[in-house]
């Protein structure tokens, strides 16, 4: 949820991905039901006005990830300047190094001890999609813009039925899985750019807590092609704290 963009292990070394399969044609009833559920979701997260008021998000935590170099445990610090700037700073003890991934809305790059390395355009596009999938930004856009949505029925998530909403975002099929009781998003499913090419990515979010009047998930587990890929536990999330815009510049 707070980790837009391709793999944190090796961004920029894969080929562009083919588009995801389009969603089926929606009926008026399916569209209306999806919009009503999304209105409930927006309210459950704190309401549209509170979500629109969020300008920055800062988070700290730990991530365990399967990488081309094997399993890795890293400390994580993330900063977002909404709507489209994001930075992740990671310490990788196994490699004895710090790595930063930065996206400023137009371009992106990785910073290692060897210096900055720019990402190719298709990776930058993946960051744009990742920012659009970020929950706060996504709920605001779905509330104020005419983005096609439809109800797709129910599917089981972690042993419990969830309502499934299809979203045509960037001509990609994004699926949101909504808990029918809390109205929190418990899973997102979409096509993403992995270490060796396109993957089917599933993002599971739980441990929701109130932060500055809105709900934020403190635990995010990512699967790629049905297998566990990354597990993030946040120890701290803050909204609307001062974020230096220069951190998104080279």
């Amino acid at each position: 949820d707070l980790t837009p963009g391709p793999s944190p292990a090796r961004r920029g070394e894969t080929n562009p991905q083919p588009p995801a399969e389009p969603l089926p044609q929606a009926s008026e009833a399916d569209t209306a039901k999806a919009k009503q559920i999304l209105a409930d979701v927006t309210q459950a997260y704190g309401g549209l006005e509170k979500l629109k008021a969020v300008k920055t998000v800062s988070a700290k935590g730990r991530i365990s990830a399967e990488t081309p170099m094997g399993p890795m445990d890293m400390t994580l610090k993330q900063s977002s300047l909404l709507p489209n700037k994001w930075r992740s700073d990671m310490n990788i003890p196994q490699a004895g190094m710090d790595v930063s991934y930065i996206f400023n809305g137009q371009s992106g790059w990785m910073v290692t001890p060897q210096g900055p390395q720019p990402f190719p355009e298709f990776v930058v596009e993946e960051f744009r999609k990742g920012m659009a999938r970020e929950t706060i930004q996504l709920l605001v856009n779905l509330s104020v813009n005419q983005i096609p949505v439809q109800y797709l029925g129910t599917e089981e998530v972690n042993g419990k039925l969830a309502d499934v909403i299809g979203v045509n975002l960037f001509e990609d099929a994004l699926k949101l899985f909504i808990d029918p009781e809390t109205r929190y998003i418990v899973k997102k499913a979409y096509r993403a750019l992995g270490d060796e090419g396109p993957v089917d990515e599933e993002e599971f979010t739980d441990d929701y807590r109130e932060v500055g009047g809105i709900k934020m998930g403190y635990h995010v587990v990512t699967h790629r092609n049905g297998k566990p890929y990354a597990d993030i536990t946040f120890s701290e999330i803050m909204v609307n704290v001062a974020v230096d815009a220069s951190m998104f510049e080279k």
Side-chain angles (χ1 to χ4, degrees):
D1 189 46
L2 294 171
T3 55
S7 163
R10 194 171 64 181
R11 289 179 166 105
E13 298 181 15
T14 54
N15 295 320
Q17 59 174 304
E21 294 184 6
L23 293 169
Q25 187 70 30
S27 68
E28 290 186 10
D30 286 339
T31 296
K33 186 168 184 177
K35 289 182 177 180
Q36 181 56 59
I37 291 174
L38 288 170
D40 294 341
V41 171
T42 299
Q43 193 60 37
Y45 275 79
L48 180 58
E49 293 309 310
K50 287 184 179 178
L51 292 172
K52 289 169 67 175
V54 176
K55 304 303 180 186
T56 69
V57 181
S58 297
K60 296 178 181 178
R62 300 190 66 86
I63 176 173
S64 299
E66 297 294 330
T67 79
M69 296 166 282
M72 286 193 174
D73 294 311
M74 299 160 273
T75 58
L76 180 70
K77 181 179 180 182
Q78 293 183 349
S79 300
S80 298
L81 185 61
L82 299 180
N84 60 1
K85 292 181 172 64
W86 177 85
R87 176 178 179 131
S88 180
D89 299 297
M90 292 183 288
N91 175 262
I92 310 174
Q94 292 99 319
M97 63 186 293
D98 295 323
V99 177
S100 297
Y101 300 103
I102 304 166
F103 175 64
N104 67 5
Q106 285 87 35
S107 62
W109 58 95
M110 174 174 65
V111 179
T112 70
Q114 288 72 43
Q117 304 172 36
F119 292 133
E121 178 56 33
F122 65 84
V123 176
V124 172
E125 179 62 19
E126 191 72 5
F127 275 102
R128 292 191 186 102
K129 292 179 179 180
M131 288 298 297
R133 288 192 299 263
E134 187 274 328
T135 299
I136 295 173
Q137 195 69 18
L138 176 65
L139 292 177
V140 170
N141 284 339
L142 289 173
S143 296
V144 303
N145 295 318
Q146 296 298 316
I147 298 173
V149 297
Q150 65 187 98
Y151 183 69
L152 298 175
T154 60
E155 289 187 32
E156 193 172 287
V157 178
N158 295 327
K160 184 177 180 180
L161 283 180
D163 290 310
V164 185
I165 305 297
V167 181
N168 278 319
L169 194 66
F170 288 111
E171 299 182 353
D172 286 342
L174 167 66
K175 292 182 179 180
L176 305 177
F177 297 74
I178 314 298
D179 185 297
E181 296 175 3
T182 65
R183 285 313 197 205
Y184 299 155
I185 298 171
V186 293
K187 174 183 168 182
K188 299 174 185 174
Y190 47 86
R191 293 283 276 175
L193 193 60
D195 301 312
E196 297 179 356
V199 296
D200 291 317
E201 185 152 306
E202 297 170 298
E203 182 183 300
F204 301 84
T205 303
D206 60 73
D207 191 13
Y208 276 93
R209 309 179 197 177
E210 187 168 312
V211 180
I214 65 171
K215 294 297 192 298
M216 303 288 287
Y218 273 66
H219 184 223
V220 182
V221 175
T222 302
H223 289 185
R224 287 191 166 170
N225 292 333
K227 298 180 180 179
Y229 171 72
D231 189 318
I232 302 175
T233 300
F234 291 104
S235 57
E236 179 182 74
I237 301 176
M238 298 181 292
V239 300
N240 291 333
V241 295
V243 171
D244 187 351
S246 67
M247 70 167 56
F248 306 101
E249 302 172 0
K250 287 186 180 179

